[in-house]
Amino acid sequence: MKARSAVYEIQGLTAVHPDRRREPALKRPFDMALSGAGLLGSAPLWAIVALGIKLEDGGPVFYGQERVGKDGRRFKAWKFRSMIPNSDQVYGALQAGENDHRVTRAGRLLRATAMDELPQLWNIFKCDMSFVGPRALLPEEVEVNGNGQSVRMEQIPGYDARHQVTPGLTGVAQIYAARDIARRHKFKYDLLYIKKQSFWLDLKLIALSFWITFRGKWEHRGKKF
């Protein structure tokens, strides 16, 4: 998928509620094989990351958060902790902003390279997630709109449709959408993925994700490549 063509299609995409679509036949076997290999191959890196987190502040290595998956099923998504301990209790479950003071020194590196999401390989292996799909949302998640009003995710067009597929570690929205745009715009990227999904598209998005990781651009507020 070319970035320009993707953006062109999204600009003309309105709220779409597609019929439930069967996932590509190779998607689940590929997820199982790649996540299993990733868990084994990255094991030494896990030890290094865990040591870095512990040495910085002595807090927990992992951070678990309940998310909404396919068909509304809830599951706990795991990450390496990249923020100060108990940040949710102190500040609430807010999305990280630019130069967020909650993010630790180790966390900045983890988030820029997406290494904080390595534990989600286990979620993929367990079938909670896929490598590619819409990002799993928090239950009862809200967004503050331009008027300062709180809007529940369920009220945003495209919310129901994006839960017809398995949530992903990466996807069209994660790669092409700017980090700070409104969710109604991000949902359009998700709907485009649902409309276009195929095994070959998944491979392209995974390859782009590796390139963004290599360049350390996941926290970049503008274009990632």
Side-chain angles (χ1 to χ4, degrees), residues 169-190:
L169 186 62
T170 189
V172 174
Q174 294 92 310
I175 291 172
Y176 290 106
R179 286 186 58 85
D180 301 323
I181 65 172
R183 291 298 178 96
R184 67 180 181 278
H185 296 310
K186 285 188 178 180
F187 284 7
K188 289 183 180 181
Y189 286 83
D190 294 329

Side-chain angles (χ1 to χ4, degrees), residues 4-26:
R4 185 176 299 176
S5 62
V7 172
Y8 177 80
E9 287 199 56
I10 288 164
Q11 288 174 340
L13 188 65
T14 57
V16 178
H17 297 277
D19 295 332
R20 180 183 303 277
R21 292 191 55 183
R22 183 176 298 175
E23 292 181 343
L26 292 176

Side-chain angles (χ1 to χ4, degrees), residues 128-199:
D128 293 328
M129 295 174 58
S130 174
F131 272 101
V132 182
R135 181 172 289 279
L137 299 175
L138 293 165
E140 316 300 332
E141 188 169 347
V142 298
E143 179 180 60
V144 178
N145 65 17
N147 297 322
Q149 301 171 321
S150 295
V151 179
R152 292 176 61 88
M153 292 293 127
E154 294 92 332
Q155 298 175 303
I156 299 175
Y159 176 88
D160 292 330
R162 69 194 300 285
H163 287 104
Q164 292 182 356
V165 297
T166 305
L169 186 62
T170 189
V172 174
Q174 294 92 310
I175 291 172
Y176 290 106
R179 286 186 58 85
D180 301 323
I181 65 172
R183 291 298 178 96
R184 67 180 181 278
H185 296 310
K186 285 188 178 180
F187 284 7
K188 289 183 180 181
Y189 286 83
D190 294 329
L191 294 171
L192 180 63
Y193 172 74
I194 294 170
K195 180 180 178 182
K196 298 287 188 179
Q197 66 173 325
S198 70
F199 180 65

Side-chain angles (χ1 to χ4, degrees), residues 67-119:
R67 298 276 175 155
V68 182
K70 185 177 180 181
D71 298 324
R73 184 178 66 84
R74 298 189 181 189
F75 68 96
K76 181 163 282 191
W78 292 98
K79 293 185 177 184
F80 283 120
R81 181 176 59 83
S82 62
M83 293 189 177
I84 60 174
N86 303 316
S87 64
D88 281 359
Q89 286 78 8
V90 177
Y91 299 102
L94 302 174
Q95 186 174 359
E98 190 172 8
N99 301 317
D100 197 307
H101 66 278
R102 297 171 299 164
V103 179
T104 63
R105 289 192 300 271
R108 292 190 188 96
L109 174 62
L110 293 175
R111 295 173 72 90
T113 58
M115 285 194 295
D116 62 319
E117 298 189 344
L118 271 177

